[in-house]
Amino acid sequence: MALLDVQDLSIDIGGIKPLDSIGFAVDKGETLGIVGESGSGKSLTALSIMGLLPLIGGRVERGSIRFDGMELTRLPEPDYRRLRGRRIAFITQNPMTSLDPVIRVGEQIDQVARLHLGLSGSAARRHSIEIMERLRIPEAATTYHNYPHQLSGGMKQRIVIAMALAANPDLIIADEPTTALDVTIQAQIVQILGELVREKGVALILITHDMGVVAQACDRVVVLYAGRVAESNTVSAIFASPRHPYTQALIGCIPRNAMERGSLVGIPGLVPSVARYPAGCRFHPRCTRSESLCEREVPVLERLASGAEIACHVADKHEAAHA
Amino acid sequence: MLSYTIRRLLLLIPVFLVVSIVIFLIIHLVPGDPIDNLVRVGSTPEQKAEITARYGLDRPLVEQYLIWLSQLAQGDLGTAIVMRRPVADLIAQNLPYSLTLGGLALLFSTVLGIAAGVIAAMNKEGRIDRTVMTGVLFGSTMPSFWLGLILILVFAVQLRWFPVSGARSWESLVLPVLTIGLGGMALVARVTRIAMLETAGKDFVLLLHAKGLPARRIQLRHVLRHALLPVVTILGLRIGWVLGGAVTVEYVFARPGLGMLLIKALSQHDYPVVQACLLMLAMAVMLGTLLGDLIQAAMDPRVRSALT
Ligand SMILES: Nc1ncnc2c1ncn2[C@@H]1O[C@H](COP(=O)(O)OP(=O)(O)OP(=O)(O)O)[C@@H](O)[C@H]1O
Ligand SMILES: [Mg+2]
């Protein structure tokens, strides 16, 4: 059984259903990529696992989230709270706004060790500085006393990562940890996260809309489109033979550096908003191969013998051809 | 921070000069004359002219202003024309009453306003929130003199818990403090609540939850701290307002104080007293704003680094 196993997850935010039957699994020492354009439901997937949907007025409507044998969807809040930051850590999408602007960054890292490891003031500080040094933050002892606005975006993201590492979590969910940063910093952050997986054996969920990052850092990948899984497979297989027309389009237009973030110019049209999801396959209005069936029937997610999963009426599902 | 404080204090000097000119002009250009209140009916124009000359009121306005200003610089507020006492004495006699009333009212509205705002925000959209906010709406729309009269009617006349007027005991403070403080409390509660709800939606708060901090601790230690920034600004502005706004309330409760002194002096056209009272109120507004800015800088490192 994998460390985290999400099955048939559907959520509800005030009557809106932005996620429909999402499923995937990730194990220790493994990196799972979740890709999809802006609005496809990546962040909401992360919030669901963190148990933080109530903060935005949402809830899990159906499905299960199993973590290390526990059913998280039924976990009481006090137990959930002890899990957050301790065993499941979260790296938010925007490092510019993710730190409390009026508290020194070092103290913000301390909080985690104080809360979950029971370390006291000076021990927590030593612990934090040690992690900062491990993340190659220059002059960690000085930076410790800085306020967020005194640091660059890349440094802030490292602080957020340091908070995520402070209690030695088993699972880290990184929600587009690099989109707000420039290219050289992006590569460094991805590298740092990769080292964590290899050296500490943590399970990493790396959310991104950048297929380049997926190719570089992930073992498996789940492609989300408009709140549903389009395709999921190992990274090598998905790059070798993408089956879903959406995945094919995504790979056909791996973003170059100069591209506007969040946009994938290779695919005409936009992800529909939650209120206007089309019937049938949600991708059909943008799909070059759509048939009349696609407009009527929701394609079910089929699991192939190799472990690949695909939800499409028109895709080629013959394994032998690719074996 | 220290150099900023000094710079801000120095900056008050030109503001003070402008305010003093405005006050001086308003008073001297408004029709009416203190001498009319002094001379007995039937005195000759010569007698009147003599008195006018004695107070320097026959000289050009610019000269009068400069004399007033130079005396002011030496700490001399002049002598009241009608009340015939040093203005400084009159102020010293009345100011403590106003400061007590204003200070207590401000304290009342700060403490209870913040508490009400926090409670409402933490029960967002629930029954408690609605009850608190309805009360707040009620409190903030009622004019203070009217509220004062109602309080007098209920608690002083009907129930006889507190005296109707005067300033002899601490009990006489209760109703005036409530009258001024309730409005302020409503304002502070509203600002606190909205600022807390707004802060609660920020990214960094989400991350605090993701770190596993208890929700209550996040609300009180992090969210409230941010919510207090706008509250401090409002309170700073209100310091001056409370001293000035106490005017009507002092009148309703017949309490001595700067407000009563001002009203009396105005009706008698007693220039030096009116000038001194208005100056005190203007100073309170200026110092209050400064104090608000300083506290805000102390609370927010971003403001501090913008100062240097
Ligand atoms: N609090 C909310 N209430 C209602 N709808 C929401 C809420 N948050 C997100 N949504 C909707 O759910 C859909 C998925 O949002 P989500 O934030 O998960 O997208 P995302 O894949 O993370 O996109 P991005 O790449 O821009 O971060 C979007 O259409 C969004 O408008
Ligand atoms: Mg997102």
Side-chain angles (χ1 to χ4, degrees):
Chain A
M1 181 112 189
L3 178 70
L4 178 79
D5 193 359
V6 177
Q7 280 178 19
D8 194 28
L9 175 71
S10 302
I11 68 168
D12 178 304
I13 307 175
I16 295 172
K17 325 245 174 204
L19 293 184
D20 182 16
S21 293
I22 302 286
F24 51 82
V26 58
D27 216 337
K28 287 189 175 160
E30 214 180 57
T31 303
L32 173 78
I34 298 184
V35 284
E37 287 166 275
S38 198
S40 52
K42 305 182 297 292
S43 297
L44 291 180
T45 306
L47 279 192
S48 311
I49 302 169
M50 294 302 299
L52 292 176
L53 283 178
L55 279 188
I56 56 166
R59 64 185 176 86
V60 172
E61 194 184 29
R62 183 159 48 82
S64 93
I65 304 173
R66 291 192 77 78
F67 173 78
D68 199 15
M70 286 174 279
E71 178 54 53
L72 297 190
T73 53
R74 284 197 291 276
L75 198 66
E77 172 60 20
D79 298 334
Y80 222 138
R81 195 167 61 61
R82 274 188 283 277
L83 225 55
R84 284 187 209 119
R86 168 69 194 88
R87 299 197 61 198
I88 307 179
F90 190 41
I91 297 170
T92 37
Q93 189 157 354
N94 190 352
M96 298 307 175
T97 53
S98 293
L99 296 167
D100 188 332
V102 302
I103 297 181
R104 294 175 200 279
V105 294
E107 288 167 28
Q108 300 192 46
I109 307 175
D110 289 357
Q111 276 182 327
V112 179
R114 284 164 180 267
L115 188 69
H116 295 295
L117 308 180
L119 296 189
S120 64
S122 60
R125 190 173 74 229
R126 274 197 304 279
H127 184 74
S128 300
I129 292 177
E130 202 181 290
I131 297 171
M132 290 166 76
E133 279 165 352
R134 205 161 79 215
L135 293 176
R136 297 192 283 279
I137 294 175
E139 299 177 56
T142 324
T143 308
Y144 178 95
H145 294 286
N146 283 146
Y147 289 99
H149 71 271
Q150 298 168 314
L151 302 181
S152 68
M155 251 348 120
K156 275 187 237 184
Q157 190 61 304
R158 278 171 215 229
I159 299 294
V160 175
I161 296 176
M163 296 196 301
L165 299 187
N168 273 321
D170 304 307
L171 170 67
I172 297 177
I173 304 173
D175 188 357
E176 309 204 31
T178 59
T179 14
L181 308 175
D182 65 55
V183 191
T184 45
I185 313 288
Q186 277 185 22
Q188 288 175 11
I189 299 284
V190 170
Q191 195 192 347
I192 287 172
L193 292 172
E195 281 168 19
L196 281 169
V197 176
R198 278 192 304 280
E199 290 164 16
K200 301 227 147 199
V202 302
L204 175 66
I205 294 180
L206 189 58
I207 295 175
T208 175
H209 54 242
D210 183 344
M211 285 305 267
V213 170
V214 172
Q216 190 188 344
C218 301
D219 302 305
R220 274 193 76 84
V221 58
V222 178
V223 180
L224 285 190
Y225 185 81
R228 287 193 190 138
V229 175
E231 179 170 6
S232 120
N233 208 338
T234 61
V235 168
S236 51
I238 225 166
F239 276 94
S241 58
R243 291 157 196 267
H244 197 292
Y246 181 59
T247 321
Q248 289 168 347
L250 273 185
I251 290 174
C253 60
I254 288 181
R256 318 279 168 252
N257 298 340
M259 267 182 58
E260 201 185 326
R261 89 186 168 90
S263 75
L264 292 162
V265 284
I267 311 174
L270 293 168
V271 183
S273 71
V274 193
R276 283 201 209 90
Y277 281 158
C281 171
R282 288 177 180 168
F283 186 57
H284 85 258
R286 295 170 75 190
C287 186
T288 48
R289 292 160 57 192
S290 79
E291 299 168 359
S292 62
L293 179 66
C294 307
E295 295 168 22
R296 282 177 283 121
E297 296 256 334
V298 178
V300 288
L301 192 66
E302 279 180 64
R303 191 181 185 91
L304 309 184
S306 65
E309 291 182 316
I310 180 162
C312 179
H313 294 303
V314 299
D316 169 21
K317 286 158 201 156
H318 292 288
E319 297 258 74
H322 302 280
Chain B
M1 186 79 185
L2 184 68
S3 73
Y4 169 72
T5 313
I6 293 170
R7 223 167 52 224
R8 282 291 306 264
L9 280 170
L10 288 178
L11 218 72
L12 284 184
I13 295 174
V15 179
F16 181 84
L17 283 177
V18 172
V19 167
S20 72
I21 291 175
V22 171
I23 289 176
F24 184 85
L25 282 181
I26 290 177
I27 289 165
H28 286 262
L29 295 181
V30 163
D33 194 319
I35 307 305
D36 294 336
N37 284 303
L38 279 184
V39 289
R40 259 166 256 119
V41 188
S43 7
T44 60
E46 288 76 40
Q47 284 171 312
K48 200 176 161 188
E50 190 211 312
I51 297 175
T52 308
R54 190 175 338 138
Y55 290 102
L57 296 177
D58 53 346
R59 303 199 202 158
L61 269 189
V62 179
E63 204 184 321
Q64 286 189 46
Y65 172 72
L66 288 177
I67 291 173
W68 177 56
L69 194 67
S70 69
Q71 284 176 344
L72 205 62
Q74 296 157 33
D76 179 6
L77 290 172
T79 308
I81 299 176
V82 184
M83 297 180 213
R84 298 187 197 223
R85 290 175 54 195
V87 176
D89 282 3
L90 287 169
I91 298 274
Q93 198 178 56
N94 285 283
L95 189 61
Y97 288 105
S98 291
L99 285 180
T100 317
L101 176 58
L104 284 175
L106 205 64
L107 190 72
F108 177 89
S109 38
T110 307
V111 173
L112 291 184
I114 290 175
V118 169
I119 291 171
M122 284 174 78
N123 295 285
K124 179 178 73 157
E125 250 107 78
R127 262 231 322 280
I128 301 181
D129 181 20
R130 269 189 224 118
T131 315
V132 171
M133 290 328 286
T134 310
V136 159
L137 189 70
F138 208 59
S140 55
T141 46
M142 215 183 309
S144 61
F145 68 90
W146 198 63
L147 179 65
L149 289 176
I150 290 189
L151 288 177
I152 290 179
L153 211 61
V154 176
F155 293 103
V157 177
Q158 295 285 328
L159 298 172
R160 294 175 181 276
W161 288 356
F162 303 106
V164 175
S165 64
R168 272 179 294 279
S169 60
W170 69 267
E171 284 130 329
S172 65
L173 263 171
V174 174
L175 293 183
V177 165
L178 278 182
T179 307
I180 304 176
L182 281 175
M185 172 189 163
L187 180 69
V188 170
R190 228 165 21 170
V191 175
T192 307
R193 175 179 176 273
I194 289 179
M196 274 189 81
L197 292 183
E198 199 206 304
T199 311
K202 295 232 161 119
D203 280 356
F204 77 86
V205 178
L206 177 73
L207 197 61
L208 290 170
H209 285 282
K211 280 156 81 174
L213 268 82
R216 188 169 296 247
R217 189 141 115 214
I218 294 174
Q219 289 285 337
L220 294 179
R221 293 239 189 113
H222 296 268
V223 176
L224 178 59
R225 192 163 161 192
H226 285 266
L228 286 182
L229 295 173
V231 173
V232 165
T233 310
I234 293 217
L235 284 172
L237 293 174
R238 224 180 139 77
I239 290 182
W241 192 91
V242 160
L243 276 188
V247 171
T248 47
V249 175
E250 283 173 1
Y251 199 78
V252 167
F253 287 93
R255 276 180 64 86
L258 223 49
M260 280 297 260
L261 183 64
L262 179 60
I263 289 179
K264 195 162 144 208
L266 269 174
S267 66
Q268 297 172 335
H269 297 282
D270 203 336
Y271 294 161
V273 184
V274 176
Q275 282 167 350
C277 287
L278 289 180
L279 263 186
M280 297 310 278
L281 293 181
M283 295 258 293
V285 172
M286 290 190 286
L287 289 176
T289 313
L290 174 62
L291 192 67
D293 286 355
L294 289 180
I295 294 178
Q296 201 168 45
M299 283 170 69
D300 190 341
R302 289 166 301 180
V303 176
R304 280 205 297 282
S305 50
L307 302 181
T308 46

